[in-house]
Amino acid sequence: MKTDAKIYVAGHRGLAGSAIARALKAAGFRNIVTRSHGELELTDAGAVGRFFAQEKPEHVFLAAAKVGGIHANDTYRGDFIRENLAIQTNVIEAARQSGVKRLLFLGSSCVYPREAPQPIREEYLLTGPLEETNRAYAIAKIAGIEMCRAYNRQYGTRFLAAMPTNLYGPGDNYDLMNSHVLPALIRKAHEANASGAGSMAVWGSGRPRREFLYSDDLGQACVFLMKLDDATFDRLLADAAVPALINVGWGEDQTITELAQAVCETVGFAGKLVFDASKPDGMFRKVLDVSRLRALGWQPRVPLREGLRRAYEDFKAR
């Protein structure tokens, strides 16, 4: 990407999209096009087509999606598959029709099988059953990956799918019922500390292991990928084992118990953790193999403890 190229960031107000927009600006890109949900309904194919025909972006970051934690994914399965399929189908097709040079589609680590070997390599996609609680969302994202691959093969597009691990950071959703685990823990610990409670409830057994990546690290990784030289970028698209797919993560994980303890230390809550085993755990372990991305020369910069401190400051500033 040239610094004066017109770049569209779909979902620029979300956790991932806002991080991408910050990374682009920090790297000197100034011709960034954005639209809020009120300005452009991405589930409306006609509206998306008209937007692309008018703006003609050269590069697209597709970070817009309906997202949520384990409760939201399990409860609103129809909404998750319908809206995500519509958003990504409309944007990817409009990008093809308008001649976009490169597109980066953001998926999710939940696309991989529930019992996938750890750490999870890109070639494990579609090798086993999915985690049931987020199956609808995962299938939508898998469809986006396949759409990128199919369009590249049939139409000669240059669309890459990046699979980020669990994200957290500025602009996160801290709703206790519909957010992801880390922001929910931050809010719970803060409220327990403020009220003087002696304990804090944590969903699940605390035994599952999860990997987390600070959102600004993801944003920088996405810009890094889109700035790759043509030969390297095209090798990612044409890789016979895993065409047009690359993992983005930290490469290390911890148990939910360890995560909750780290959050409590960050917030200053010294009470007892009470685990609610009646709530689902999800996949027992989910950590990504990020060796392909690191071999290209990228690595994350914000360790978990520092990221938690920044995330808590963001929460308190709301």
Side-chain angles (χ1 to χ4, degrees):
M1 296 187 299
K2 296 181 180 179
T3 54
D4 61 348
K6 180 177 280 191
I7 302 167
Y8 171 45
V9 180
H12 73 287
R13 290 185 172 177
L15 179 63
S18 62
I20 291 171
R22 287 192 297 273
L24 285 168
K25 292 175 183 177
F29 295 93
R30 291 294 179 265
N31 196 4
I32 303 170
V33 179
T34 59
R35 291 291 187 277
S36 68
H37 182 266
E39 294 170 323
L40 177 61
E41 175 54 71
L42 293 178
T43 61
D44 182 338
V48 174
R50 289 189 294 273
F51 165 77
F52 271 81
Q54 176 182 342
E55 293 294 339
K56 296 181 173 58
E58 298 175 61
H59 306 282
V60 173
F61 291 85
L62 178 43
K66 183 175 181 62
V67 299
I70 191 169
H71 172 79
N73 271 277
D74 195 29
T75 304
Y76 307 111
R77 298 183 184 212
D79 295 344
F80 271 76
I81 193 167
R82 180 187 67 252
E83 293 186 31
N84 283 301
L85 283 172
I87 290 168
Q88 62 203 38
T89 298
N90 294 341
V91 173
I92 292 172
E93 170 62 5
R96 178 191 74 83
Q97 290 188 3
S98 65
V100 164
K101 294 178 179 178
R102 292 187 185 185
L103 177 144
L104 185 71
F105 167 67
L106 286 187
S108 167
S109 58
C110 72
V111 300
Y112 294 112
R114 175 183 174 88
E115 303 299 333
Q118 304 289 324
I120 303 173
R121 299 175 61 86
E122 289 90 345
E123 54 262 42
Y124 298 160
L125 184 71
L126 297 176
T127 59
L130 299 166
E131 161 59 33
E132 180 60 31
T133 54
N134 55 28
R135 177 183 172 88
Y137 177 71
I139 288 175
K141 289 298 185 179
I142 292 170
I145 298 169
E146 188 58 32
M147 193 170 183
C148 290
R149 290 175 171 177
Y151 272 39
N152 291 346
R153 180 168 179 175
Q154 181 175 348
Y155 302 117
T157 54
R158 303 170 82 202
F159 298 167
L160 175 66
M163 297 301 107
T165 190
N166 300 291
L167 301 175
Y168 69 104
D172 212 339
N173 172 20
Y174 295 94
D175 181 86
L176 290 179
M177 292 301 294
N178 296 320
S179 68
H180 292 97
V181 59
L182 198 155
L185 288 172
I186 289 176
R187 179 173 173 181
K188 285 182 177 183
H190 174 83
E191 293 182 350
N193 195 43
S195 67
S199 64
M200 181 183 93
V202 180
W203 279 20
S205 67
R207 294 192 299 270
R209 303 186 66 87
R210 291 292 183 271
E211 170 192 21
F212 295 91
L213 185 69
Y214 192 66
S215 59
D216 282 341
D217 275 339
L218 171 75
Q220 291 165 10
C222 291
V223 173
F224 172 86
L225 286 168
M226 289 284 268
K227 287 176 63 181
L228 290 172
D229 63 81
D230 286 340
T232 304
F233 193 83
D234 288 343
R235 279 199 298 272
L236 289 176
L237 300 183
D239 189 313
V242 282
L245 177 62
I246 190 164
N247 288 338
V248 183
W250 187 271
E252 299 176 3
D253 62 353
Q254 53 276 307
T255 66
I256 296 299
T257 297
E258 291 168 338
L259 176 68
Q261 291 169 341
V263 168
C264 289
E265 290 174 12
T266 300
V267 172
F269 175 64
K272 179 182 179 182
L273 296 177
V274 178
F275 294 91
D276 183 357
S278 69
K279 297 294 192 296
D281 274 336
M283 288 178 64
F284 181 74
R285 190 183 184 203
K286 188 166 62 172
V287 59
L288 296 181
D289 184 315
V290 291
S291 57
R292 295 177 74 227
L293 180 56
R294 293 205 176 202
L296 293 172
W298 180 86
Q299 60 182 12
R301 301 176 181 176
V302 184
L304 183 61
R305 292 284 182 159
E306 172 60 19
L308 288 177
R309 184 192 67 78
R310 296 185 191 182
Y312 185 45
E313 291 301 317
D314 172 70
F315 172 80
K316 290 189 294 182
R318 287 170 171 260

